[in-house]
Amino acid sequence: MDDKLKQLTALASHFVGEHFDYCKPLLDQDYQGMHPVVRFISTQLYLSCQFSTESSLLLLRHGQEWDSEIINRSIIEGVVKYIFMLQGTEDETIEKVKEYWEILPSYSAIKRSDRVSSLLKTVSSNELHNWKSIDDLKLEDSDIDSIREGTNKQQRKLLEQKWSFSNIIQGFSKSGDERLMPLVHLAYNFGMSSHLIHKDGDGVAMIWERCTREIERQEAVKLAHIARAISDLCSFAEARTVILHQHCNTKYDFIDKLRDSYSPLFSELKDLLKEFNKVEYET
């Protein structure tokens, strides 16, 4: 199994890397085809998804599919926000990147400040000097008033909801855009992986149940799980490529050729899923 995982993840890493190479000119700070603010902020999100993809593939290479799912959940959310961010007119995208990069983080800073205050109340006065890095996160009342100026609690809540994964996905599903509507299926894996993040009964039970299977069934489902995760990561890379090129009004006719050039990878991933169905359901 080790050799197979090494081969599959290496090919997937090259596939994702080639997508990055095609996108790189549009991410460069000297690229003139995007508003500078939109280019900078959307690029940071793009790169974060790219780096997390590399981390996930490393985990899959070592057969750690459950921990990979936790990272993949963040990639799913990142890709969905990336697509949402780059949809619309230039004015709309500028407004959205400001919300994403400035306004929402300032709301989070207030909540973080409240948590810091609660934490520091538990620290003895003669130890406070050791908590300076935490204390620096506290906001003055004037800072909080400045952040909240001109908004009420309901308005702030609505903006946070606007950027929530579920709200964005629902918007895609109702958009009538054939490119966006299928993305609603991401909600399933997003929801399932939340069990793993929270270490709830469902999440722990999924891992336990798999360990109780016969060896043949264990191996088949493990490989199929990893195959699905690798396929998802490759699809997310394609999605980032498409939305970026669409936003920049540049051609991306290389997409199909690139996927065709990695047909051995995708054939192998499909075969592993077929093998699982054969072992598990005799189909």
Side-chain angles (χ1 to χ4, degrees):
M1 184 185 292
D2 262 4
D3 288 342
K4 186 181 291 291
L5 294 183
K6 182 177 181 180
Q7 176 192 28
L8 294 175
T9 53
L11 285 171
S13 180
H14 285 299
F15 177 81
V16 172
E18 288 203 49
H19 271 279
F20 177 69
D21 289 340
Y22 277 108
C23 292
K24 208 171 178 181
L26 309 183
L27 304 173
D28 190 270
Q29 63 179 353
D30 294 326
Y31 178 65
Q32 300 295 314
M34 296 175 75
H35 187 283
V37 172
V38 174
R39 187 211 58 77
F40 172 75
I41 296 172
S42 64
T43 293
Q44 304 318 304
L45 179 53
Y46 178 104
L47 292 175
S48 180
C49 292
Q50 181 75 17
F51 298 149
S52 292
T53 298
E54 294 171 1
S55 298
S56 181
L57 287 171
L58 283 173
L59 286 169
L60 293 171
R61 160 66 183 86
H62 293 284
Q64 301 295 325
E65 68 274 18
W66 297 110
D67 290 327
S68 168
E69 287 288 6
I70 295 174
I71 296 179
N72 290 356
R73 186 181 192 270
S74 73
I75 298 171
I76 291 173
E77 187 161 9
V79 169
V80 165
K81 288 181 177 178
Y82 185 72
I83 294 171
F84 176 65
M85 184 183 290
L86 294 183
Q87 293 291 315
T89 65
E90 181 173 86
D91 286 343
E92 288 170 339
T93 56
I94 292 172
E95 179 182 3
K96 281 188 281 189
V97 297
K98 182 179 179 182
E99 292 169 350
Y100 175 83
W101 194 255
E102 298 177 14
I103 300 176
L104 289 173
S106 70
Y107 294 169
S108 296
I110 295 175
K111 297 174 184 177
R112 185 162 52 247
S113 178
D114 290 340
R115 292 194 294 270
V116 166
S117 295
S118 297
L119 171 62
L120 293 180
K121 287 178 182 178
T122 68
V123 178
S124 62
S125 57
N126 61 337
E127 287 291 329
L128 280 175
H129 64 280
N130 292 321
W131 294 78
K132 187 67 171 65
S133 61
I134 300 296
D135 186 60
D136 286 345
L137 298 175
K138 283 175 56 179
L139 297 177
E140 300 293 335
D141 289 343
S142 58
D143 296 324
I144 294 174
D145 290 341
S146 177
I147 290 170
R148 290 175 172 171
E149 185 178 8
T151 65
N152 57 43
K153 185 176 181 179
Q154 180 63 19
Q155 289 172 319
R156 294 190 294 273
K157 183 177 180 181
L158 286 174
L159 182 59
E160 290 172 337
Q161 289 177 341
K162 174 183 176 179
W163 278 91
S164 70
F165 176 83
S166 59
N167 188 75
I168 295 173
I169 284 292
Q170 287 174 13
F172 287 168
S173 69
K174 298 174 182 178
S175 67
D177 189 329
E178 293 183 358
R179 300 166 303 173
L180 301 179
M181 291 171 65
L183 293 175
V184 70
H185 79 274
L186 294 175
Y188 176 78
N189 283 345
F190 187 83
M192 289 299 291
S193 56
S194 70
H195 296 302
L196 300 171
I197 290 175
H198 299 302
K199 295 292 185 188
D200 62 21
D202 286 323
V204 174
M206 285 190 289
I207 300 172
W208 168 81
E209 185 278 331
R210 185 168 297 179
C211 294
T212 65
R213 299 183 180 201
E214 300 87 348
I215 295 300
E216 183 185 17
R217 292 177 65 220
Q218 277 192 48
E219 181 169 329
V221 71
K222 183 180 186 73
L223 287 172
H225 187 162
I226 290 173
R228 193 268 302 156
I230 291 173
S231 180
D232 285 351
L233 291 171
C234 291
S235 295
F236 298 154
E238 285 182 327
R240 293 194 297 274
T241 298
V242 169
I243 193 63
L244 176 60
H245 282 75
Q246 285 178 343
H247 181 80
C248 296
N249 292 315
T250 52
K251 293 181 179 180
Y252 51 97
D253 50 3
F254 57 85
I255 290 269
D256 290 337
K257 293 179 182 178
L258 184 54
R259 180 167 274 266
D260 287 344
S261 69
Y262 282 84
S263 57
L265 167 64
F266 296 110
S267 294
E268 179 69 14
L269 296 178
K270 287 180 181 178
D271 287 344
L272 291 173
L273 293 172
K274 289 179 181 177
E275 180 62 21
F276 163 69
N277 284 323
K278 180 180 177 182
V279 171
E280 190 71 16
Y281 303 110
E282 298 182 351
T283 59

